[in-house]
Amino acid sequence: MRYRLLFQDSNIVKSLLKKIAYIFAVLCIWQFVHVLGRYFDLIFPTPIQVASFLWHACADGTLIGAIWITIKRLVLGYSVSVLIGIPMGMLCSRFYILNACIGKLVLGLQTLPSICWVPLTLLWFGQTDRAILFVVTMGSLWSLIASTESSVRQIPSVYVKAARTMGARGVNLWLTVIFPAALPLIITGMKQSWAFAWRSLMSAEIYISTIGGLSIGQLLHYGREMQAMDQVMGMIFIIIAIGLIAEKVLFANVERILHKRWGFIKSSN
Amino acid sequence: MAETDVKICASHVSKAFTRDHCFIKVLEDISFSVQAGEFVAILGPSGCGKSTLLNMVAGLEPCEKGNIIVDEYHTDQPERHRMMMFQEAALFPWYNVLSNVVYGLRFKKGLTNTERKTIASYYLHMVGLDYFERAYVHELSGGMKQRVALARALAPNPQILLMDEPFSALDALTCEQLYKDVQKIWNMQHKTILLVTHNVREAVVLAQRVIVLSQRPGKILKDFPIQLPYPRYVHDVSVSALANELVNVLHTKGGVDDYIACV
């Protein structure tokens, strides 16, 4: 037992070392290209310059503040999407008439790039937080309605039949059988919708500059205006990192637990 | 037998579907009755509408022509006193085994949650799955899943058990064991059981009476009594003899050419 644990640990260390070596190699190539191409620092900064920008931005608190503001907007806008989108999708799958009425509308709005909402929202809400939240919600809501609706339609009909013979009706049937049966697929739809929300937020933050604290998108935008390419690249790294953390930590774990329980993948022991 | 003993009474039931502008007749003029405590099998080739018939008895599908009366009531809604088992176990993967059985009692009023759990445990014990209460559905074998489904169907203490080919996806050895168990439970509890199957031997081993349906549109070819003593085994010579007789009925009268008998 002890031996196995140790063995597993050393495996983790090994793969971690591999990853660090890989990242280091990429950074070396980056530095090498910079030196070889004799690029201006203004146009193409070195990894050390980007790292030093990130370090200073962390130290004076701008970065932490920006991350906080951005995450808050993301969570708020996305929560509104989830609270409206999932019930709406379920209602659409239940009532044919509702689906016939708004189904096409949802599909249409889903194809609309979220940046297209910006002119409209600027006139409606001005340069405010609400304008940004509106873009985030519009960017993620429609895909969530569409995916929830199709998730519910894909559940095996035998679950519903069995539940009905056992006396489940109406709301009870929906809460105890239809929703949990569709849950793994709904989560997949939520993941996609989260990615849409994240993209929408970044476009909204670049286009809509609000009064108050700086956000990640704004820092990126100002980086361009001030010709500070180290800031632009640094913010791109931060945006990638947040996206990865949400995907790998949040959704990957939820999906793993669901799939293990629902039996889509066999548990390892 | 007295009129009051009739549990299920179907008279002149017909059913047709319209699919892709095609009119498909599924069942034609089906009339039969099942006595209380009787074990009846409906045997027919696949696609003859026997599952549709069972769904109508369960109240999951409306019957268009004719009527089905259970306990003097029309079957337009599913009820807890007639529980159903399906070809797939149809267990809910988001619950463990015990909670799945408890689900059958969930909407039964006048029970506390502890009572529901006690009843569920009792029926899990009856189907021989005492040690699997905490297991998840995907951890069970096919036969175990159907046992859980059986426990779940029995837990609300229904008077009627409807079985829609529940053994057809299982291997032969598991089937044999389940035939024994079902006979034992039927002997103990005296439920009225209506079993739908395409397996001739299965019908002969389990039922007191086999209603043979023709190919689509399903008509009753013969109402065939099986007067063999219980417990019966699949490999009994008498079972084989009767199964052969039933296969002959299926072949001669219905003109079932592409039907492969499972004997």
Side-chain angles (χ1 to χ4, degrees), chain A residues 48-86:
Chain A
I48 295 158
Q49 284 167 323
V50 173
S52 113
F53 160 75
L54 286 176
W55 173 256
H56 285 113
C58 264
D60 67 12
T62 8
L63 190 59
I64 307 296
I67 289 176
W68 168 244
I69 286 176
T70 297
I71 295 285
K72 208 168 64 182
R73 283 173 180 160
L74 182 62
V75 169
L76 260 176
Y78 180 68
S79 304
V80 173
S81 278
V82 169
L83 288 180
I84 300 174
I86 290 178

mmCIF file of all heavy atoms in Angstrom, chain A residues 48-86:
data_model
loop_
_atom_site.group_PDB
_atom_site.id
_atom_site.type_symbol
_atom_site.label_atom_id
_atom_site.label_comp_id
_atom_site.label_asym_id
_atom_site.label_seq_id
_atom_site.Cartn_x
_atom_site.Cartn_y
_atom_site.Cartn_z
ATOM 1 N N ILE A 48 10.463 37.783 -20.112
ATOM 2 C CA ILE A 48 10.849 38.397 -18.840
ATOM 3 C C ILE A 48 10.106 39.708 -18.630
ATOM 4 O O ILE A 48 9.632 40.000 -17.532
ATOM 5 C CB ILE A 48 12.368 38.601 -18.781
ATOM 6 C CG1 ILE A 48 13.062 37.227 -18.792
ATOM 7 C CG2 ILE A 48 12.784 39.389 -17.542
ATOM 8 C CD1 ILE A 48 14.475 37.245 -19.259
ATOM 9 N N GLN A 49 9.953 40.482 -19.719
ATOM 10 C CA GLN A 49 9.211 41.741 -19.614
ATOM 11 C C GLN A 49 7.741 41.501 -19.244
ATOM 12 O O GLN A 49 7.172 42.203 -18.409
ATOM 13 C CB GLN A 49 9.294 42.512 -20.936
ATOM 14 C CG GLN A 49 10.635 43.179 -21.124
ATOM 15 C CD GLN A 49 10.826 43.661 -22.537
ATOM 16 O OE1 GLN A 49 10.391 43.008 -23.487
ATOM 17 N NE2 GLN A 49 11.477 44.796 -22.676
ATOM 18 N N VAL A 50 7.145 40.487 -19.897
ATOM 19 C CA VAL A 50 5.745 40.167 -19.594
ATOM 20 C C VAL A 50 5.612 39.731 -18.138
ATOM 21 O O VAL A 50 4.722 40.177 -17.408
ATOM 22 C CB VAL A 50 5.213 39.073 -20.549
ATOM 23 C CG1 VAL A 50 3.827 38.610 -20.130
ATOM 24 C CG2 VAL A 50 5.183 39.578 -21.979
ATOM 25 N N ALA A 51 6.542 38.874 -17.696
ATOM 26 C CA ALA A 51 6.499 38.381 -16.315
ATOM 27 C C ALA A 51 6.662 39.537 -15.339
ATOM 28 O O ALA A 51 5.971 39.589 -14.306
ATOM 29 C CB ALA A 51 7.597 37.336 -16.095
ATOM 30 N N SER A 52 7.552 40.472 -15.683
ATOM 31 C CA SER A 52 7.777 41.588 -14.760
ATOM 32 C C SER A 52 6.546 42.503 -14.711
ATOM 33 O O SER A 52 6.191 43.012 -13.654
ATOM 34 C CB SER A 52 9.055 42.343 -15.161
ATOM 35 O OG SER A 52 8.745 43.629 -15.616
ATOM 36 N N PHE A 53 5.853 42.654 -15.873
ATOM 37 C CA PHE A 53 4.606 43.427 -15.836
ATOM 38 C C PHE A 53 3.607 42.752 -14.893
ATOM 39 O O PHE A 53 2.999 43.386 -14.025
ATOM 40 C CB PHE A 53 3.977 43.555 -17.225
ATOM 41 C CG PHE A 53 2.518 43.901 -17.155
ATOM 42 C CD1 PHE A 53 2.118 45.193 -16.818
ATOM 43 C CD2 PHE A 53 1.533 42.924 -17.336
ATOM 44 C CE1 PHE A 53 0.770 45.500 -16.680
ATOM 45 C CE2 PHE A 53 0.195 43.228 -17.195
ATOM 46 C CZ PHE A 53 -0.187 44.529 -16.872
ATOM 47 N N LEU A 54 3.445 41.433 -15.061
ATOM 48 C CA LEU A 54 2.475 40.702 -14.244
ATOM 49 C C LEU A 54 2.827 40.825 -12.765
ATOM 50 O O LEU A 54 1.961 40.993 -11.911
ATOM 51 C CB LEU A 54 2.422 39.224 -14.660
ATOM 52 C CG LEU A 54 1.706 38.936 -15.990
ATOM 53 C CD1 LEU A 54 1.814 37.465 -16.334
ATOM 54 C CD2 LEU A 54 0.250 39.364 -15.924
ATOM 55 N N TRP A 55 4.130 40.739 -12.479
ATOM 56 C CA TRP A 55 4.598 40.821 -11.101
ATOM 57 C C TRP A 55 4.233 42.176 -10.508
ATOM 58 O O TRP A 55 3.653 42.259 -9.412
ATOM 59 C CB TRP A 55 6.098 40.569 -11.039
ATOM 60 C CG TRP A 55 6.674 40.794 -9.680
ATOM 61 C CD1 TRP A 55 7.407 41.864 -9.274
ATOM 62 C CD2 TRP A 55 6.504 39.940 -8.549
ATOM 63 N NE1 TRP A 55 7.722 41.750 -7.957
ATOM 64 C CE2 TRP A 55 7.178 40.577 -7.481
ATOM 65 C CE3 TRP A 55 5.867 38.721 -8.331
ATOM 66 C CZ2 TRP A 55 7.234 40.024 -6.191
ATOM 67 C CZ3 TRP A 55 5.915 38.168 -7.060
ATOM 68 C CH2 TRP A 55 6.584 38.813 -6.015
ATOM 69 N N HIS A 56 4.515 43.246 -11.250
ATOM 70 C CA HIS A 56 4.225 44.591 -10.736
ATOM 71 C C HIS A 56 2.734 44.840 -10.611
ATOM 72 O O HIS A 56 2.271 45.446 -9.661
ATOM 73 C CB HIS A 56 4.880 45.654 -11.638
ATOM 74 C CG HIS A 56 6.349 45.734 -11.425
ATOM 75 N ND1 HIS A 56 7.272 45.373 -12.391
ATOM 76 C CD2 HIS A 56 7.070 46.100 -10.344
ATOM 77 C CE1 HIS A 56 8.497 45.507 -11.908
ATOM 78 N NE2 HIS A 56 8.396 45.952 -10.658
ATOM 79 N N ALA A 57 1.966 44.349 -11.608
ATOM 80 C CA ALA A 57 0.513 44.525 -11.558
ATOM 81 C C ALA A 57 -0.080 43.797 -10.367
ATOM 82 O O ALA A 57 -1.036 44.264 -9.737
ATOM 83 C CB ALA A 57 -0.109 44.026 -12.858
ATOM 84 N N CYS A 58 0.519 42.641 -10.047
ATOM 85 C CA CYS A 58 0.082 41.902 -8.860
ATOM 86 C C CYS A 58 0.425 42.692 -7.607
ATOM 87 O O CYS A 58 -0.390 42.814 -6.692
ATOM 88 C CB CYS A 58 0.777 40.542 -8.794
ATOM 89 S SG CYS A 58 -0.216 39.229 -9.479
ATOM 90 N N ALA A 59 1.647 43.200 -7.585
ATOM 91 C CA ALA A 59 2.151 43.852 -6.380
ATOM 92 C C ALA A 59 1.351 45.110 -6.047
ATOM 93 O O ALA A 59 1.021 45.347 -4.885
ATOM 94 C CB ALA A 59 3.631 44.190 -6.559
ATOM 95 N N ASP A 60 0.997 45.915 -7.065
ATOM 96 C CA ASP A 60 0.257 47.139 -6.737
ATOM 97 C C ASP A 60 -1.266 46.922 -6.681
ATOM 98 O O ASP A 60 -2.024 47.873 -6.522
ATOM 99 C CB ASP A 60 0.631 48.285 -7.685
ATOM 100 C CG ASP A 60 0.179 48.022 -9.117
ATOM 101 O OD1 ASP A 60 -0.606 47.073 -9.318
ATOM 102 O OD2 ASP A 60 0.615 48.741 -10.033
ATOM 103 N N GLY A 61 -1.686 45.691 -6.872
ATOM 104 C CA GLY A 61 -3.101 45.380 -6.638
ATOM 105 C C GLY A 61 -4.015 45.575 -7.831
ATOM 106 O O GLY A 61 -5.194 45.208 -7.768
ATOM 107 N N THR A 62 -3.518 46.165 -8.940
ATOM 108 C CA THR A 62 -4.397 46.373 -10.100
ATOM 109 C C THR A 62 -4.932 45.052 -10.634
ATOM 110 O O THR A 62 -6.124 44.925 -10.928
ATOM 111 C CB THR A 62 -3.652 47.049 -11.284
ATOM 112 O OG1 THR A 62 -2.276 47.105 -10.984
ATOM 113 C CG2 THR A 62 -4.227 48.398 -11.595
ATOM 114 N N LEU A 63 -4.029 44.082 -10.744
ATOM 115 C CA LEU A 63 -4.418 42.816 -11.373
ATOM 116 C C LEU A 63 -5.478 42.097 -10.545
ATOM 117 O O LEU A 63 -6.497 41.631 -11.069
ATOM 118 C CB LEU A 63 -3.175 41.942 -11.555
ATOM 119 C CG LEU A 63 -3.393 40.696 -12.402
ATOM 120 C CD1 LEU A 63 -3.864 41.073 -13.790
ATOM 121 C CD2 LEU A 63 -2.125 39.875 -12.478
ATOM 122 N N ILE A 64 -5.218 42.018 -9.227
ATOM 123 C CA ILE A 64 -6.166 41.322 -8.343
ATOM 124 C C ILE A 64 -7.530 42.009 -8.404
ATOM 125 O O ILE A 64 -8.563 41.351 -8.525
ATOM 126 C CB ILE A 64 -5.651 41.309 -6.884
ATOM 127 C CG1 ILE A 64 -4.214 40.742 -6.815
ATOM 128 C CG2 ILE A 64 -6.585 40.512 -5.986
ATOM 129 C CD1 ILE A 64 -4.088 39.307 -7.228
ATOM 130 N N GLY A 65 -7.502 43.355 -8.358
ATOM 131 C CA GLY A 65 -8.760 44.109 -8.424
ATOM 132 C C GLY A 65 -9.490 43.854 -9.727
ATOM 133 O O GLY A 65 -10.707 43.635 -9.749
ATOM 134 N N ALA A 66 -8.727 43.839 -10.842
ATOM 135 C CA ALA A 66 -9.336 43.623 -12.154
ATOM 136 C C ALA A 66 -9.941 42.230 -12.247
ATOM 137 O O ALA A 66 -11.058 42.044 -12.749
ATOM 138 C CB ALA A 66 -8.289 43.828 -13.235
ATOM 139 N N ILE A 67 -9.191 41.233 -11.741
ATOM 140 C CA ILE A 67 -9.701 39.853 -11.782
ATOM 141 C C ILE A 67 -11.003 39.764 -10.978
ATOM 142 O O ILE A 67 -11.992 39.178 -11.426
ATOM 143 C CB ILE A 67 -8.649 38.859 -11.243
ATOM 144 C CG1 ILE A 67 -7.496 38.742 -12.244
ATOM 145 C CG2 ILE A 67 -9.264 37.491 -11.011
ATOM 146 C CD1 ILE A 67 -6.359 37.871 -11.776
ATOM 147 N N TRP A 68 -11.002 40.406 -9.824
ATOM 148 C CA TRP A 68 -12.179 40.376 -8.956
ATOM 149 C C TRP A 68 -13.391 40.970 -9.671
ATOM 150 O O TRP A 68 -14.466 40.362 -9.712
ATOM 151 C CB TRP A 68 -11.868 41.105 -7.648
ATOM 152 C CG TRP A 68 -13.071 41.395 -6.809
ATOM 153 C CD1 TRP A 68 -13.568 42.614 -6.470
ATOM 154 C CD2 TRP A 68 -13.929 40.433 -6.180
ATOM 155 N NE1 TRP A 68 -14.675 42.483 -5.691
ATOM 156 C CE2 TRP A 68 -14.928 41.151 -5.492
ATOM 157 C CE3 TRP A 68 -13.959 39.029 -6.150
ATOM 158 C CZ2 TRP A 68 -15.950 40.532 -4.763
ATOM 159 C CZ3 TRP A 68 -14.972 38.400 -5.437
ATOM 160 C CH2 TRP A 68 -15.946 39.148 -4.741
ATOM 161 N N ILE A 69 -13.209 42.159 -10.296
ATOM 162 C CA ILE A 69 -14.321 42.823 -10.990
ATOM 163 C C ILE A 69 -14.833 41.965 -12.143
ATOM 164 O O ILE A 69 -16.033 41.742 -12.312
ATOM 165 C CB ILE A 69 -13.868 44.213 -11.510
ATOM 166 C CG1 ILE A 69 -13.749 45.182 -10.338
ATOM 167 C CG2 ILE A 69 -14.841 44.748 -12.555
ATOM 168 C CD1 ILE A 69 -13.217 46.544 -10.712
ATOM 169 N N THR A 70 -13.898 41.412 -12.906
ATOM 170 C CA THR A 70 -14.285 40.608 -14.068
ATOM 171 C C THR A 70 -15.021 39.339 -13.654
ATOM 172 O O THR A 70 -16.060 38.998 -14.212
ATOM 173 C CB THR A 70 -13.035 40.264 -14.900
ATOM 174 O OG1 THR A 70 -12.488 41.488 -15.379
ATOM 175 C CG2 THR A 70 -13.369 39.366 -16.056
ATOM 176 N N ILE A 71 -14.469 38.634 -12.653
ATOM 177 C CA ILE A 71 -15.092 37.381 -12.202
ATOM 178 C C ILE A 71 -16.489 37.666 -11.658
ATOM 179 O O ILE A 71 -17.439 36.905 -11.894
ATOM 180 C CB ILE A 71 -14.218 36.687 -11.128
ATOM 181 C CG1 ILE A 71 -12.880 36.257 -11.724
ATOM 182 C CG2 ILE A 71 -14.943 35.512 -10.509
ATOM 183 C CD1 ILE A 71 -12.922 35.052 -12.613
ATOM 184 N N LYS A 72 -16.618 38.787 -10.935
ATOM 185 C CA LYS A 72 -17.915 39.138 -10.371
ATOM 186 C C LYS A 72 -18.945 39.321 -11.485
ATOM 187 O O LYS A 72 -20.057 38.795 -11.410
ATOM 188 C CB LYS A 72 -17.780 40.427 -9.555
ATOM 189 C CG LYS A 72 -18.774 40.541 -8.431
ATOM 190 C CD LYS A 72 -18.427 41.666 -7.474
ATOM 191 C CE LYS A 72 -18.495 43.015 -8.163
ATOM 192 N NZ LYS A 72 -18.114 44.140 -7.294
ATOM 193 N N ARG A 73 -18.556 40.033 -12.541
ATOM 194 C CA ARG A 73 -19.466 40.235 -13.680
ATOM 195 C C ARG A 73 -19.815 38.915 -14.355
ATOM 196 O O ARG A 73 -20.966 38.661 -14.693
ATOM 197 C CB ARG A 73 -18.803 41.148 -14.713
ATOM 198 C CG ARG A 73 -18.813 42.599 -14.324
ATOM 199 C CD ARG A 73 -17.989 43.369 -15.329
ATOM 200 N NE ARG A 73 -17.951 44.780 -15.001
ATOM 201 C CZ ARG A 73 -17.042 45.622 -15.449
ATOM 202 N NH1 ARG A 73 -16.078 45.174 -16.236
ATOM 203 N NH2 ARG A 73 -17.072 46.889 -15.123
ATOM 204 N N LEU A 74 -18.784 38.093 -14.520
ATOM 205 C CA LEU A 74 -18.996 36.807 -15.187
ATOM 206 C C LEU A 74 -19.992 35.960 -14.410
ATOM 207 O O LEU A 74 -20.947 35.419 -14.965
ATOM 208 C CB LEU A 74 -17.654 36.082 -15.313
ATOM 209 C CG LEU A 74 -17.667 34.744 -16.032
ATOM 210 C CD1 LEU A 74 -18.102 34.918 -17.470
ATOM 211 C CD2 LEU A 74 -16.297 34.093 -15.984
ATOM 212 N N VAL A 75 -19.766 35.863 -13.092
ATOM 213 C CA VAL A 75 -20.623 35.026 -12.252
ATOM 214 C C VAL A 75 -22.047 35.570 -12.247
ATOM 215 O O VAL A 75 -23.018 34.813 -12.394
ATOM 216 C CB VAL A 75 -20.049 34.925 -10.825
ATOM 217 C CG1 VAL A 75 -21.056 34.290 -9.878
ATOM 218 C CG2 VAL A 75 -18.760 34.119 -10.829
ATOM 219 N N LEU A 76 -22.178 36.892 -12.133
ATOM 220 C CA LEU A 76 -23.508 37.507 -12.099
ATOM 221 C C LEU A 76 -24.262 37.279 -13.411
ATOM 222 O O LEU A 76 -25.386 36.776 -13.424
ATOM 223 C CB LEU A 76 -23.377 39.009 -11.857
ATOM 224 C CG LEU A 76 -23.617 39.497 -10.436
ATOM 225 C CD1 LEU A 76 -23.353 40.991 -10.352
ATOM 226 C CD2 LEU A 76 -25.035 39.186 -10.001
ATOM 227 N N GLY A 77 -23.614 37.637 -14.517
ATOM 228 C CA GLY A 77 -24.267 37.521 -15.829
ATOM 229 C C GLY A 77 -24.605 36.081 -16.153
ATOM 230 O O GLY A 77 -25.690 35.777 -16.643
ATOM 231 N N TYR A 78 -23.683 35.179 -15.824
ATOM 232 C CA TYR A 78 -23.896 33.767 -16.121
ATOM 233 C C TYR A 78 -24.990 33.187 -15.231
ATOM 234 O O TYR A 78 -25.791 32.362 -15.688
ATOM 235 C CB TYR A 78 -22.572 33.023 -15.945
ATOM 236 C CG TYR A 78 -22.656 31.550 -16.218
ATOM 237 C CD1 TYR A 78 -22.887 31.077 -17.512
ATOM 238 C CD2 TYR A 78 -22.491 30.626 -15.203
ATOM 239 C CE1 TYR A 78 -22.962 29.732 -17.767
ATOM 240 C CE2 TYR A 78 -22.558 29.276 -15.450
ATOM 241 C CZ TYR A 78 -22.794 28.830 -16.733
ATOM 242 O OH TYR A 78 -22.863 27.494 -16.988
ATOM 243 N N SER A 79 -25.036 33.621 -13.969
ATOM 244 C CA SER A 79 -26.083 33.126 -13.065
ATOM 245 C C SER A 79 -27.464 33.488 -13.592
ATOM 246 O O SER A 79 -28.388 32.665 -13.539
ATOM 247 C CB SER A 79 -25.926 33.714 -11.674
ATOM 248 O OG SER A 79 -24.663 33.446 -11.181
ATOM 249 N N VAL A 80 -27.594 34.710 -14.088
ATOM 250 C CA VAL A 80 -28.888 35.118 -14.651
ATOM 251 C C VAL A 80 -29.246 34.187 -15.815
ATOM 252 O O VAL A 80 -30.369 33.697 -15.912
ATOM 253 C CB VAL A 80 -28.836 36.593 -15.119
ATOM 254 C CG1 VAL A 80 -30.113 36.967 -15.852
ATOM 255 C CG2 VAL A 80 -28.624 37.515 -13.933
ATOM 256 N N SER A 81 -28.255 33.900 -16.660
ATOM 257 C CA SER A 81 -28.483 32.975 -17.785
ATOM 258 C C SER A 81 -28.970 31.622 -17.302
ATOM 259 O O SER A 81 -29.904 31.055 -17.846
ATOM 260 C CB SER A 81 -27.190 32.757 -18.557
ATOM 261 O OG SER A 81 -26.985 33.794 -19.448
ATOM 262 N N VAL A 82 -28.300 31.092 -16.271
ATOM 263 C CA VAL A 82 -28.645 29.760 -15.782
ATOM 264 C C VAL A 82 -30.045 29.782 -15.164
ATOM 265 O O VAL A 82 -30.864 28.890 -15.426
ATOM 266 C CB VAL A 82 -27.604 29.277 -14.750
ATOM 267 C CG1 VAL A 82 -28.082 28.028 -14.029
ATOM 268 C CG2 VAL A 82 -26.277 29.010 -15.434
ATOM 269 N N LEU A 83 -30.323 30.814 -14.387
ATOM 270 C CA LEU A 83 -31.613 30.878 -13.701
ATOM 271 C C LEU A 83 -32.772 31.020 -14.690
ATOM 272 O O LEU A 83 -33.851 30.499 -14.455
ATOM 273 C CB LEU A 83 -31.634 32.040 -12.705
ATOM 274 C CG LEU A 83 -30.780 31.804 -11.458
ATOM 275 C CD1 LEU A 83 -30.856 33.001 -10.528
ATOM 276 C CD2 LEU A 83 -31.223 30.543 -10.722
ATOM 277 N N ILE A 84 -32.534 31.717 -15.796
ATOM 278 C CA ILE A 84 -33.607 31.845 -16.795
ATOM 279 C C ILE A 84 -33.544 30.685 -17.790
ATOM 280 O O ILE A 84 -34.554 30.094 -18.136
ATOM 281 C CB ILE A 84 -33.496 33.184 -17.567
ATOM 282 C CG1 ILE A 84 -33.596 34.360 -16.598
ATOM 283 C CG2 ILE A 84 -34.587 33.288 -18.627
ATOM 284 C CD1 ILE A 84 -33.360 35.714 -17.251
ATOM 285 N N GLY A 85 -32.312 30.361 -18.228
ATOM 286 C CA GLY A 85 -32.142 29.440 -19.358
ATOM 287 C C GLY A 85 -32.592 28.021 -19.078
ATOM 288 O O GLY A 85 -33.271 27.421 -19.910
ATOM 289 N N ILE A 86 -32.232 27.464 -17.918
ATOM 290 C CA ILE A 86 -32.562 26.058 -17.666
ATOM 291 C C ILE A 86 -34.075 25.860 -17.504
ATOM 292 O O ILE A 86 -34.646 24.992 -18.181
ATOM 293 C CB ILE A 86 -31.737 25.507 -16.488
ATOM 294 C CG1 ILE A 86 -30.276 25.401 -16.944
ATOM 295 C CG2 ILE A 86 -32.251 24.159 -16.033
ATOM 296 C CD1 ILE A 86 -29.338 24.912 -15.893
#
